[in-house]
Amino acid sequence: MAGQKNVSRIDYRALETFAHDVLTEAGVTEPHAATVAEALVRANLRGVDSHGVARLTAYVNKFLEGGFNPDPETTIESGPSRGTFSVDADGGPGQTAGQTAMQTAVERAAEMGMAGGVVRNSNHFGTAAFYTELAAEHDCIGIAMTNVGPDVVPFNGTKPYFGTNPISFAIPTNRPYPITLDMATSVVAMGKIDHVAKETDASIPDHWGVDDDGIPTTDPHDVNALRPLGGPKGYGLALVVDILAGVLSGSGPSPTVNPLYDEYDRPMDLGHFVAAIDISAFRDTAAFKKDVDTIISDIKGMEPRDGADELMLPGEIETKRKETRSSDGIPVPDGVVEALRELGDDFGVQFPR
């Protein structure tokens, strides 16, 4: 995208401390403040800036005005067997509820072979990879998805009905990183328009979004809704995510989800779905990883085209970006820096230089 403005490079540890301290000053209790801060900065480290600290101001407003519960009592209820469960987020941050759900799925998968759960009464949970990679760290295949408010038109539709409804899988490997697929079921996440393109006054590809009349637009300020990824394929995936995360949890489909922005006194009231598959329940874990690595080697050994240096795995670009940003700092656009500095001033927390 053209029109990038200046950015500041901020050490990720200082940025996480800043986010944590602002949240605690806003009344968010532990461990919720720590988990939200970690999840936001982890998104920035992976290069998913649309789900990083650019969201902090909105989160704080939600906590202050009652949309997010700053001190929730997250509870877990088992289903008919230990392999199924539901989590009541008590209106708290989705990051805490999502992490609790995935940790529970991993623990129960060790007993049952695989386990899955739903989360209700929850809120925005950031990047889905935050949860699936937790499962991969324990030699489980992780699955996570969530519905969000309506931002995406159905295939051949003109008005938004579905959320971006992201879905993620993470698969353990013998490499320093898992294979991680983390994708919106729209062409892009709305955050890339609201918190990246708008912040930098950048034009966007015309296949990303449509205006009020359902016409494709390149101006991020004119976008009323996003388009589904791959046309009918993304539309179908969005529907499935809405049912698994929203309907199965009892939270409701995307049109019932309240917004993250503007209506700060209203909970979003959305749902998540997570699952963990313990590899050892099906076959020897080392043998599984060896076979996965054979696939990786086959792919990486192919001749690239279109000027690419190599073929990349899902999640590999994000891992490389994390390595770079861990050492060089996280690039934060001027507009986001200004907003965060003002937020810090409101709570007596100095923004890192």
Side-chain angles (χ1 to χ4, degrees), residues 157-183:
T158 59
K159 302 299 180 184
Y161 184 89
F162 294 108
T164 53
N165 290 8
I167 183 170
S168 177
F169 295 82
I171 301 170
T173 71
N174 283 322
R175 307 251 169 167
Y177 54 89
I179 295 173
T180 303
L181 175 67
D182 185 1
M183 52 175 269

mmCIF file with all atom_site columns, all heavy atoms in Angstrom, residues 157-183:
data_model
loop_
_atom_site.group_PDB
_atom_site.id
_atom_site.type_symbol
_atom_site.label_atom_id
_atom_site.label_alt_id
_atom_site.label_comp_id
_atom_site.label_asym_id
_atom_site.label_entity_id
_atom_site.label_seq_id
_atom_site.pdbx_PDB_ins_code
_atom_site.Cartn_x
_atom_site.Cartn_y
_atom_site.Cartn_z
_atom_site.occupancy
_atom_site.B_iso_or_equiv
_atom_site.pdbx_formal_charge
_atom_site.auth_seq_id
_atom_site.auth_comp_id
_atom_site.auth_asym_id
_atom_site.auth_atom_id
_atom_site.pdbx_PDB_model_num
ATOM 1   N N   . GLY A 1 157 ? -23.615 -10.583 -2.050 1.00 0.00 ? 157 GLY A N   1
ATOM 2   C CA  . GLY A 1 157 ? -24.444 -9.683  -1.258 1.00 0.00 ? 157 GLY A CA  1
ATOM 3   C C   . GLY A 1 157 ? -23.914 -8.259  -1.287 1.00 0.00 ? 157 GLY A C   1
ATOM 4   O O   . GLY A 1 157 ? -22.804 -7.992  -1.752 1.00 0.00 ? 157 GLY A O   1
ATOM 5   N N   . THR A 1 158 ? -24.696 -7.326  -0.774 1.00 0.00 ? 158 THR A N   1
ATOM 6   C CA  . THR A 1 158 ? -24.299 -5.918  -0.741 1.00 0.00 ? 158 THR A CA  1
ATOM 7   C C   . THR A 1 158 ? -24.238 -5.358  0.673  1.00 0.00 ? 158 THR A C   1
ATOM 8   O O   . THR A 1 158 ? -23.677 -4.292  0.884  1.00 0.00 ? 158 THR A O   1
ATOM 9   C CB  . THR A 1 158 ? -25.270 -5.058  -1.571 1.00 0.00 ? 158 THR A CB  1
ATOM 10  O OG1 . THR A 1 158 ? -26.598 -5.197  -1.033 1.00 0.00 ? 158 THR A OG1 1
ATOM 11  C CG2 . THR A 1 158 ? -25.262 -5.469  -3.037 1.00 0.00 ? 158 THR A CG2 1
ATOM 12  N N   . LYS A 1 159 ? -24.823 -6.037  1.637  1.00 0.00 ? 159 LYS A N   1
ATOM 13  C CA  . LYS A 1 159 ? -24.853 -5.557  3.017  1.00 0.00 ? 159 LYS A CA  1
ATOM 14  C C   . LYS A 1 159 ? -24.116 -6.534  3.934  1.00 0.00 ? 159 LYS A C   1
ATOM 15  O O   . LYS A 1 159 ? -24.182 -7.753  3.736  1.00 0.00 ? 159 LYS A O   1
ATOM 16  C CB  . LYS A 1 159 ? -26.300 -5.396  3.503  1.00 0.00 ? 159 LYS A CB  1
ATOM 17  C CG  . LYS A 1 159 ? -27.133 -4.446  2.653  1.00 0.00 ? 159 LYS A CG  1
ATOM 18  C CD  . LYS A 1 159 ? -26.545 -3.038  2.658  1.00 0.00 ? 159 LYS A CD  1
ATOM 19  C CE  . LYS A 1 159 ? -27.391 -2.089  1.807  1.00 0.00 ? 159 LYS A CE  1
ATOM 20  N NZ  . LYS A 1 159 ? -26.791 -0.732  1.721  1.00 0.00 ? 159 LYS A NZ  1
ATOM 21  N N   . PRO A 1 160 ? -23.419 -6.025  4.960  1.00 0.00 ? 160 PRO A N   1
ATOM 22  C CA  . PRO A 1 160 ? -22.674 -6.921  5.851  1.00 0.00 ? 160 PRO A CA  1
ATOM 23  C C   . PRO A 1 160 ? -23.595 -7.801  6.687  1.00 0.00 ? 160 PRO A C   1
ATOM 24  O O   . PRO A 1 160 ? -24.636 -7.352  7.160  1.00 0.00 ? 160 PRO A O   1
ATOM 25  C CB  . PRO A 1 160 ? -21.879 -5.952  6.729  1.00 0.00 ? 160 PRO A CB  1
ATOM 26  C CG  . PRO A 1 160 ? -22.651 -4.674  6.696  1.00 0.00 ? 160 PRO A CG  1
ATOM 27  C CD  . PRO A 1 160 ? -23.257 -4.603  5.325  1.00 0.00 ? 160 PRO A CD  1
ATOM 28  N N   . TYR A 1 161 ? -23.196 -9.048  6.838  1.00 0.00 ? 161 TYR A N   1
ATOM 29  C CA  . TYR A 1 161 ? -23.924 -9.988  7.705  1.00 0.00 ? 161 TYR A CA  1
ATOM 30  C C   . TYR A 1 161 ? -22.968 -10.740 8.621  1.00 0.00 ? 161 TYR A C   1
ATOM 31  O O   . TYR A 1 161 ? -23.197 -10.857 9.821  1.00 0.00 ? 161 TYR A O   1
ATOM 32  C CB  . TYR A 1 161 ? -24.720 -11.001 6.879  1.00 0.00 ? 161 TYR A CB  1
ATOM 33  C CG  . TYR A 1 161 ? -25.563 -11.912 7.744  1.00 0.00 ? 161 TYR A CG  1
ATOM 34  C CD1 . TYR A 1 161 ? -26.853 -11.541 8.094  1.00 0.00 ? 161 TYR A CD1 1
ATOM 35  C CD2 . TYR A 1 161 ? -25.066 -13.114 8.243  1.00 0.00 ? 161 TYR A CD2 1
ATOM 36  C CE1 . TYR A 1 161 ? -27.630 -12.350 8.916  1.00 0.00 ? 161 TYR A CE1 1
ATOM 37  C CE2 . TYR A 1 161 ? -25.827 -13.934 9.066  1.00 0.00 ? 161 TYR A CE2 1
ATOM 38  C CZ  . TYR A 1 161 ? -27.106 -13.543 9.406  1.00 0.00 ? 161 TYR A CZ  1
ATOM 39  O OH  . TYR A 1 161 ? -27.866 -14.331 10.229 1.00 0.00 ? 161 TYR A OH  1
ATOM 40  N N   . PHE A 1 162 ? -21.865 -11.263 8.059  1.00 0.00 ? 162 PHE A N   1
ATOM 41  C CA  . PHE A 1 162 ? -20.899 -12.038 8.845  1.00 0.00 ? 162 PHE A CA  1
ATOM 42  C C   . PHE A 1 162 ? -19.796 -11.135 9.398  1.00 0.00 ? 162 PHE A C   1
ATOM 43  O O   . PHE A 1 162 ? -19.520 -10.060 8.867  1.00 0.00 ? 162 PHE A O   1
ATOM 44  C CB  . PHE A 1 162 ? -20.262 -13.131 7.993  1.00 0.00 ? 162 PHE A CB  1
ATOM 45  C CG  . PHE A 1 162 ? -21.229 -14.192 7.559  1.00 0.00 ? 162 PHE A CG  1
ATOM 46  C CD1 . PHE A 1 162 ? -21.640 -14.281 6.245  1.00 0.00 ? 162 PHE A CD1 1
ATOM 47  C CD2 . PHE A 1 162 ? -21.748 -15.098 8.473  1.00 0.00 ? 162 PHE A CD2 1
ATOM 48  C CE1 . PHE A 1 162 ? -22.543 -15.242 5.833  1.00 0.00 ? 162 PHE A CE1 1
ATOM 49  C CE2 . PHE A 1 162 ? -22.644 -16.073 8.086  1.00 0.00 ? 162 PHE A CE2 1
ATOM 50  C CZ  . PHE A 1 162 ? -23.050 -16.142 6.764  1.00 0.00 ? 162 PHE A CZ  1
ATOM 51  N N   . GLY A 1 163 ? -19.147 -11.639 10.445 1.00 0.00 ? 163 GLY A N   1
ATOM 52  C CA  . GLY A 1 163 ? -17.922 -11.007 10.886 1.00 0.00 ? 163 GLY A CA  1
ATOM 53  C C   . GLY A 1 163 ? -16.761 -11.499 10.026 1.00 0.00 ? 163 GLY A C   1
ATOM 54  O O   . GLY A 1 163 ? -16.942 -12.334 9.130  1.00 0.00 ? 163 GLY A O   1
ATOM 55  N N   . THR A 1 164 ? -15.589 -10.980 10.298 1.00 0.00 ? 164 THR A N   1
ATOM 56  C CA  . THR A 1 164 ? -14.400 -11.503 9.618  1.00 0.00 ? 164 THR A CA  1
ATOM 57  C C   . THR A 1 164 ? -14.124 -12.931 10.055 1.00 0.00 ? 164 THR A C   1
ATOM 58  O O   . THR A 1 164 ? -13.387 -13.656 9.387  1.00 0.00 ? 164 THR A O   1
ATOM 59  C CB  . THR A 1 164 ? -13.171 -10.626 9.912  1.00 0.00 ? 164 THR A CB  1
ATOM 60  O OG1 . THR A 1 164 ? -13.022 -10.482 11.335 1.00 0.00 ? 164 THR A OG1 1
ATOM 61  C CG2 . THR A 1 164 ? -13.317 -9.253  9.270  1.00 0.00 ? 164 THR A CG2 1
ATOM 62  N N   . ASN A 1 165 ? -14.699 -13.355 11.172 1.00 0.00 ? 165 ASN A N   1
ATOM 63  C CA  . ASN A 1 165 ? -14.771 -14.742 11.629 1.00 0.00 ? 165 ASN A CA  1
ATOM 64  C C   . ASN A 1 165 ? -13.481 -15.535 11.380 1.00 0.00 ? 165 ASN A C   1
ATOM 65  O O   . ASN A 1 165 ? -13.464 -16.484 10.578 1.00 0.00 ? 165 ASN A O   1
ATOM 66  C CB  . ASN A 1 165 ? -15.957 -15.441 10.978 1.00 0.00 ? 165 ASN A CB  1
ATOM 67  C CG  . ASN A 1 165 ? -17.295 -14.925 11.497 1.00 0.00 ? 165 ASN A CG  1
ATOM 68  O OD1 . ASN A 1 165 ? -17.341 -13.937 12.231 1.00 0.00 ? 165 ASN A OD1 1
ATOM 69  N ND2 . ASN A 1 165 ? -18.374 -15.571 11.132 1.00 0.00 ? 165 ASN A ND2 1
ATOM 70  N N   . PRO A 1 166 ? -12.395 -15.162 12.066 1.00 0.00 ? 166 PRO A N   1
ATOM 71  C CA  . PRO A 1 166 ? -11.104 -15.813 11.826 1.00 0.00 ? 166 PRO A CA  1
ATOM 72  C C   . PRO A 1 166 ? -11.060 -17.262 12.304 1.00 0.00 ? 166 PRO A C   1
ATOM 73  O O   . PRO A 1 166 ? -11.781 -17.661 13.225 1.00 0.00 ? 166 PRO A O   1
ATOM 74  C CB  . PRO A 1 166 ? -10.123 -14.948 12.614 1.00 0.00 ? 166 PRO A CB  1
ATOM 75  C CG  . PRO A 1 166 ? -10.955 -14.366 13.711 1.00 0.00 ? 166 PRO A CG  1
ATOM 76  C CD  . PRO A 1 166 ? -12.296 -14.115 13.093 1.00 0.00 ? 166 PRO A CD  1
ATOM 77  N N   . ILE A 1 167 ? -10.168 -18.021 11.665 1.00 0.00 ? 167 ILE A N   1
ATOM 78  C CA  . ILE A 1 167 ? -9.945  -19.422 12.026 1.00 0.00 ? 167 ILE A CA  1
ATOM 79  C C   . ILE A 1 167 ? -8.452  -19.697 11.997 1.00 0.00 ? 167 ILE A C   1
ATOM 80  O O   . ILE A 1 167 ? -7.729  -19.173 11.151 1.00 0.00 ? 167 ILE A O   1
ATOM 81  C CB  . ILE A 1 167 ? -10.704 -20.356 11.053 1.00 0.00 ? 167 ILE A CB  1
ATOM 82  C CG1 . ILE A 1 167 ? -10.543 -21.820 11.446 1.00 0.00 ? 167 ILE A CG1 1
ATOM 83  C CG2 . ILE A 1 167 ? -10.277 -20.116 9.609  1.00 0.00 ? 167 ILE A CG2 1
ATOM 84  C CD1 . ILE A 1 167 ? -11.463 -22.746 10.676 1.00 0.00 ? 167 ILE A CD1 1
ATOM 85  N N   . SER A 1 168 ? -7.975  -20.486 12.956 1.00 0.00 ? 168 SER A N   1
ATOM 86  C CA  . SER A 1 168 ? -6.541  -20.790 13.031 1.00 0.00 ? 168 SER A CA  1
ATOM 87  C C   . SER A 1 168 ? -6.314  -22.260 13.342 1.00 0.00 ? 168 SER A C   1
ATOM 88  O O   . SER A 1 168 ? -7.078  -22.871 14.095 1.00 0.00 ? 168 SER A O   1
ATOM 89  C CB  . SER A 1 168 ? -5.864  -19.936 14.103 1.00 0.00 ? 168 SER A CB  1
ATOM 90  O OG  . SER A 1 168 ? -4.492  -20.272 14.230 1.00 0.00 ? 168 SER A OG  1
ATOM 91  N N   . PHE A 1 169 ? -5.252  -22.799 12.746 1.00 0.00 ? 169 PHE A N   1
ATOM 92  C CA  . PHE A 1 169 ? -4.740  -24.129 13.063 1.00 0.00 ? 169 PHE A CA  1
ATOM 93  C C   . PHE A 1 169 ? -3.240  -23.980 13.320 1.00 0.00 ? 169 PHE A C   1
ATOM 94  O O   . PHE A 1 169 ? -2.560  -23.211 12.639 1.00 0.00 ? 169 PHE A O   1
ATOM 95  C CB  . PHE A 1 169 ? -4.923  -25.101 11.890 1.00 0.00 ? 169 PHE A CB  1
ATOM 96  C CG  . PHE A 1 169 ? -6.348  -25.403 11.540 1.00 0.00 ? 169 PHE A CG  1
ATOM 97  C CD1 . PHE A 1 169 ? -7.071  -24.543 10.742 1.00 0.00 ? 169 PHE A CD1 1
ATOM 98  C CD2 . PHE A 1 169 ? -6.961  -26.556 12.009 1.00 0.00 ? 169 PHE A CD2 1
ATOM 99  C CE1 . PHE A 1 169 ? -8.381  -24.813 10.398 1.00 0.00 ? 169 PHE A CE1 1
ATOM 100 C CE2 . PHE A 1 169 ? -8.279  -26.838 11.675 1.00 0.00 ? 169 PHE A CE2 1
ATOM 101 C CZ  . PHE A 1 169 ? -8.989  -25.966 10.873 1.00 0.00 ? 169 PHE A CZ  1
ATOM 102 N N   . ALA A 1 170 ? -2.724  -24.701 14.286 1.00 0.00 ? 170 ALA A N   1
ATOM 103 C CA  . ALA A 1 170 ? -1.279  -24.754 14.505 1.00 0.00 ? 170 ALA A CA  1
ATOM 104 C C   . ALA A 1 170 ? -0.867  -26.214 14.653 1.00 0.00 ? 170 ALA A C   1
ATOM 105 O O   . ALA A 1 170 ? -1.493  -26.977 15.405 1.00 0.00 ? 170 ALA A O   1
ATOM 106 C CB  . ALA A 1 170 ? -0.865  -23.963 15.739 1.00 0.00 ? 170 ALA A CB  1
ATOM 107 N N   . ILE A 1 171 ? 0.185   -26.596 13.918 1.00 0.00 ? 171 ILE A N   1
ATOM 108 C CA  . ILE A 1 171 ? 0.636   -27.986 13.866 1.00 0.00 ? 171 ILE A CA  1
ATOM 109 C C   . ILE A 1 171 ? 2.095   -28.053 14.308 1.00 0.00 ? 171 ILE A C   1
ATOM 110 O O   . ILE A 1 171 ? 2.956   -27.367 13.734 1.00 0.00 ? 171 ILE A O   1
ATOM 111 C CB  . ILE A 1 171 ? 0.498   -28.539 12.434 1.00 0.00 ? 171 ILE A CB  1
ATOM 112 C CG1 . ILE A 1 171 ? -0.962  -28.461 11.985 1.00 0.00 ? 171 ILE A CG1 1
ATOM 113 C CG2 . ILE A 1 171 ? 1.007   -29.973 12.352 1.00 0.00 ? 171 ILE A CG2 1
ATOM 114 C CD1 . ILE A 1 171 ? -1.167  -28.756 10.515 1.00 0.00 ? 171 ILE A CD1 1
ATOM 115 N N   . PRO A 1 172 ? 2.408   -28.867 15.318 1.00 0.00 ? 172 PRO A N   1
ATOM 116 C CA  . PRO A 1 172 ? 3.800   -28.965 15.793 1.00 0.00 ? 172 PRO A CA  1
ATOM 117 C C   . PRO A 1 172 ? 4.728   -29.526 14.715 1.00 0.00 ? 172 PRO A C   1
ATOM 118 O O   . PRO A 1 172 ? 4.335   -30.375 13.894 1.00 0.00 ? 172 PRO A O   1
ATOM 119 C CB  . PRO A 1 172 ? 3.698   -29.929 16.977 1.00 0.00 ? 172 PRO A CB  1
ATOM 120 C CG  . PRO A 1 172 ? 2.261   -29.941 17.371 1.00 0.00 ? 172 PRO A CG  1
ATOM 121 C CD  . PRO A 1 172 ? 1.496   -29.702 16.102 1.00 0.00 ? 172 PRO A CD  1
ATOM 122 N N   . THR A 1 173 ? 5.954   -29.056 14.718 1.00 0.00 ? 173 THR A N   1
ATOM 123 C CA  . THR A 1 173 ? 6.982   -29.533 13.795 1.00 0.00 ? 173 THR A CA  1
ATOM 124 C C   . THR A 1 173 ? 8.298   -29.668 14.563 1.00 0.00 ? 173 THR A C   1
ATOM 125 O O   . THR A 1 173 ? 8.386   -29.315 15.734 1.00 0.00 ? 173 THR A O   1
ATOM 126 C CB  . THR A 1 173 ? 7.196   -28.547 12.629 1.00 0.00 ? 173 THR A CB  1
ATOM 127 O OG1 . THR A 1 173 ? 7.861   -27.375 13.140 1.00 0.00 ? 173 THR A OG1 1
ATOM 128 C CG2 . THR A 1 173 ? 5.886   -28.135 11.985 1.00 0.00 ? 173 THR A CG2 1
ATOM 129 N N   . ASN A 1 174 ? 9.332   -30.162 13.880 1.00 0.00 ? 174 ASN A N   1
ATOM 130 C CA  . ASN A 1 174 ? 10.673  -30.184 14.464 1.00 0.00 ? 174 ASN A CA  1
ATOM 131 C C   . ASN A 1 174 ? 11.427  -28.885 14.198 1.00 0.00 ? 174 ASN A C   1
ATOM 132 O O   . ASN A 1 174 ? 12.573  -28.736 14.616 1.00 0.00 ? 174 ASN A O   1
ATOM 133 C CB  . ASN A 1 174 ? 11.477  -31.360 13.910 1.00 0.00 ? 174 ASN A CB  1
ATOM 134 C CG  . ASN A 1 174 ? 11.069  -32.684 14.539 1.00 0.00 ? 174 ASN A CG  1
ATOM 135 O OD1 . ASN A 1 174 ? 10.776  -32.752 15.735 1.00 0.00 ? 174 ASN A OD1 1
ATOM 136 N ND2 . ASN A 1 174 ? 11.034  -33.741 13.748 1.00 0.00 ? 174 ASN A ND2 1
ATOM 137 N N   . ARG A 1 175 ? 10.788  -27.962 13.513 1.00 0.00 ? 175 ARG A N   1
ATOM 138 C CA  . ARG A 1 175 ? 11.386  -26.655 13.251 1.00 0.00 ? 175 ARG A CA  1
ATOM 139 C C   . ARG A 1 175 ? 11.220  -25.780 14.498 1.00 0.00 ? 175 ARG A C   1
ATOM 140 O O   . ARG A 1 175 ? 10.491  -26.125 15.428 1.00 0.00 ? 175 ARG A O   1
ATOM 141 C CB  . ARG A 1 175 ? 10.714  -26.016 12.047 1.00 0.00 ? 175 ARG A CB  1
ATOM 142 C CG  . ARG A 1 175 ? 10.705  -26.916 10.807 1.00 0.00 ? 175 ARG A CG  1
ATOM 143 C CD  . ARG A 1 175 ? 11.629  -26.417 9.760  1.00 0.00 ? 175 ARG A CD  1
ATOM 144 N NE  . ARG A 1 175 ? 11.814  -27.411 8.676  1.00 0.00 ? 175 ARG A NE  1
ATOM 145 C CZ  . ARG A 1 175 ? 12.382  -27.137 7.523  1.00 0.00 ? 175 ARG A CZ  1
ATOM 146 N NH1 . ARG A 1 175 ? 12.815  -25.912 7.269  1.00 0.00 ? 175 ARG A NH1 1
ATOM 147 N NH2 . ARG A 1 175 ? 12.556  -28.087 6.612  1.00 0.00 ? 175 ARG A NH2 1
ATOM 148 N N   . PRO A 1 176 ? 11.853  -24.606 14.514 1.00 0.00 ? 176 PRO A N   1
ATOM 149 C CA  . PRO A 1 176 ? 11.706  -23.724 15.678 1.00 0.00 ? 176 PRO A CA  1
ATOM 150 C C   . PRO A 1 176 ? 10.316  -23.112 15.794 1.00 0.00 ? 176 PRO A C   1
ATOM 151 O O   . PRO A 1 176 ? 10.051  -22.368 16.734 1.00 0.00 ? 176 PRO A O   1
ATOM 152 C CB  . PRO A 1 176 ? 12.764  -22.631 15.415 1.00 0.00 ? 176 PRO A CB  1
ATOM 153 C CG  . PRO A 1 176 ? 13.717  -23.220 14.448 1.00 0.00 ? 176 PRO A CG  1
ATOM 154 C CD  . PRO A 1 176 ? 12.898  -24.128 13.590 1.00 0.00 ? 176 PRO A CD  1
ATOM 155 N N   . TYR A 1 177 ? 9.444   -23.399 14.843 1.00 0.00 ? 177 TYR A N   1
ATOM 156 C CA  . TYR A 1 177 ? 8.110   -22.817 14.848 1.00 0.00 ? 177 TYR A CA  1
ATOM 157 C C   . TYR A 1 177 ? 7.122   -23.842 14.294 1.00 0.00 ? 177 TYR A C   1
ATOM 158 O O   . TYR A 1 177 ? 7.482   -24.710 13.500 1.00 0.00 ? 177 TYR A O   1
ATOM 159 C CB  . TYR A 1 177 ? 8.070   -21.546 13.985 1.00 0.00 ? 177 TYR A CB  1
ATOM 160 C CG  . TYR A 1 177 ? 8.578   -21.761 12.586 1.00 0.00 ? 177 TYR A CG  1
ATOM 161 C CD1 . TYR A 1 177 ? 7.737   -22.168 11.555 1.00 0.00 ? 177 TYR A CD1 1
ATOM 162 C CD2 . TYR A 1 177 ? 9.935   -21.595 12.283 1.00 0.00 ? 177 TYR A CD2 1
ATOM 163 C CE1 . TYR A 1 177 ? 8.205   -22.391 10.278 1.00 0.00 ? 177 TYR A CE1 1
ATOM 164 C CE2 . TYR A 1 177 ? 10.420  -21.811 11.002 1.00 0.00 ? 177 TYR A CE2 1
ATOM 165 C CZ  . TYR A 1 177 ? 9.556   -22.205 10.009 1.00 0.00 ? 177 TYR A CZ  1
ATOM 166 O OH  . TYR A 1 177 ? 10.032  -22.434 8.734  1.00 0.00 ? 177 TYR A OH  1
ATOM 167 N N   . PRO A 1 178 ? 5.851   -23.760 14.703 1.00 0.00 ? 178 PRO A N   1
ATOM 168 C CA  . PRO A 1 178 ? 4.839   -24.659 14.152 1.00 0.00 ? 178 PRO A CA  1
ATOM 169 C C   . PRO A 1 178 ? 4.349   -24.156 12.800 1.00 0.00 ? 178 PRO A C   1
ATOM 170 O O   . PRO A 1 178 ? 4.596   -23.005 12.422 1.00 0.00 ? 178 PRO A O   1
ATOM 171 C CB  . PRO A 1 178 ? 3.719   -24.585 15.192 1.00 0.00 ? 178 PRO A CB  1
ATOM 172 C CG  . PRO A 1 178 ? 3.829   -23.202 15.746 1.00 0.00 ? 178 PRO A CG  1
ATOM 173 C CD  . PRO A 1 178 ? 5.311   -22.881 15.756 1.00 0.00 ? 178 PRO A CD  1
ATOM 174 N N   . ILE A 1 179 ? 3.683   -25.009 12.059 1.00 0.00 ? 179 ILE A N   1
ATOM 175 C CA  . ILE A 1 179 ? 2.905   -24.547 10.909 1.00 0.00 ? 179 ILE A CA  1
ATOM 176 C C   . ILE A 1 179 ? 1.659   -23.889 11.479 1.00 0.00 ? 179 ILE A C   1
ATOM 177 O O   . ILE A 1 179 ? 0.879   -24.528 12.184 1.00 0.00 ? 179 ILE A O   1
ATOM 178 C CB  . ILE A 1 179 ? 2.522   -25.713 9.991  1.00 0.00 ? 179 ILE A CB  1
ATOM 179 C CG1 . ILE A 1 179 ? 3.769   -26.344 9.356  1.00 0.00 ? 179 ILE A CG1 1
ATOM 180 C CG2 . ILE A 1 179 ? 1.546   -25.256 8.922  1.00 0.00 ? 179 ILE A CG2 1
ATOM 181 C CD1 . ILE A 1 179 ? 3.473   -27.605 8.567  1.00 0.00 ? 179 ILE A CD1 1
ATOM 182 N N   . THR A 1 180 ? 1.484   -22.594 11.211 1.00 0.00 ? 180 THR A N   1
ATOM 183 C CA  . THR A 1 180 ? 0.355   -21.866 11.791 1.00 0.00 ? 180 THR A CA  1
ATOM 184 C C   . THR A 1 180 ? -0.442  -21.169 10.706 1.00 0.00 ? 180 THR A C   1
ATOM 185 O O   . THR A 1 180 ? 0.052   -20.234 10.060 1.00 0.00 ? 180 THR A O   1
ATOM 186 C CB  . THR A 1 180 ? 0.830   -20.816 12.816 1.00 0.00 ? 180 THR A CB  1
ATOM 187 O OG1 . THR A 1 180 ? 1.593   -21.450 13.843 1.00 0.00 ? 180 THR A OG1 1
ATOM 188 C CG2 . THR A 1 180 ? -0.377  -20.107 13.445 1.00 0.00 ? 180 THR A CG2 1
ATOM 189 N N   . LEU A 1 181 ? -1.653  -21.626 10.509 1.00 0.00 ? 181 LEU A N   1
ATOM 190 C CA  . LEU A 1 181 ? -2.587  -20.943 9.630  1.00 0.00 ? 181 LEU A CA  1
ATOM 191 C C   . LEU A 1 181 ? -3.484  -20.080 10.502 1.00 0.00 ? 181 LEU A C   1
ATOM 192 O O   . LEU A 1 181 ? -4.149  -20.582 11.408 1.00 0.00 ? 181 LEU A O   1
ATOM 193 C CB  . LEU A 1 181 ? -3.419  -21.948 8.846  1.00 0.00 ? 181 LEU A CB  1
ATOM 194 C CG  . LEU A 1 181 ? -4.527  -21.353 7.964  1.00 0.00 ? 181 LEU A CG  1
ATOM 195 C CD1 . LEU A 1 181 ? -3.935  -20.557 6.821  1.00 0.00 ? 181 LEU A CD1 1
ATOM 196 C CD2 . LEU A 1 181 ? -5.451  -22.446 7.447  1.00 0.00 ? 181 LEU A CD2 1
ATOM 197 N N   . ASP A 1 182 ? -3.482  -18.785 10.265 1.00 0.00 ? 182 ASP A N   1
ATOM 198 C CA  . ASP A 1 182 ? -4.343  -17.862 11.011 1.00 0.00 ? 182 ASP A CA  1
ATOM 199 C C   . ASP A 1 182 ? -4.903  -16.882 9.998  1.00 0.00 ? 182 ASP A C   1
ATOM 200 O O   . ASP A 1 182 ? -4.175  -16.033 9.481  1.00 0.00 ? 182 ASP A O   1
ATOM 201 C CB  . ASP A 1 182 ? -3.540  -17.129 12.091 1.00 0.00 ? 182 ASP A CB  1
ATOM 202 C CG  . ASP A 1 182 ? -4.429  -16.255 12.970 1.00 0.00 ? 182 ASP A CG  1
ATOM 203 O OD1 . ASP A 1 182 ? -5.652  -16.243 12.758 1.00 0.00 ? 182 ASP A OD1 1
ATOM 204 O OD2 . ASP A 1 182 ? -3.895  -15.580 13.871 1.00 0.00 ? 182 ASP A OD2 1
ATOM 205 N N   . MET A 1 183 ? -6.172  -16.997 9.702  1.00 0.00 ? 183 MET A N   1
ATOM 206 C CA  . MET A 1 183 ? -6.736  -16.219 8.609  1.00 0.00 ? 183 MET A CA  1
ATOM 207 C C   . MET A 1 183 ? -8.155  -15.764 8.907  1.00 0.00 ? 183 MET A C   1
ATOM 208 O O   . MET A 1 183 ? -8.926  -16.454 9.583  1.00 0.00 ? 183 MET A O   1
ATOM 209 C CB  . MET A 1 183 ? -6.760  -17.054 7.326  1.00 0.00 ? 183 MET A CB  1
ATOM 210 C CG  . MET A 1 183 ? -7.422  -18.411 7.482  1.00 0.00 ? 183 MET A CG  1
ATOM 211 S SD  . MET A 1 183 ? -7.588  -19.328 5.937  1.00 0.00 ? 183 MET A SD  1
ATOM 212 C CE  . MET A 1 183 ? -9.215  -18.758 5.415  1.00 0.00 ? 183 MET A CE  1
#
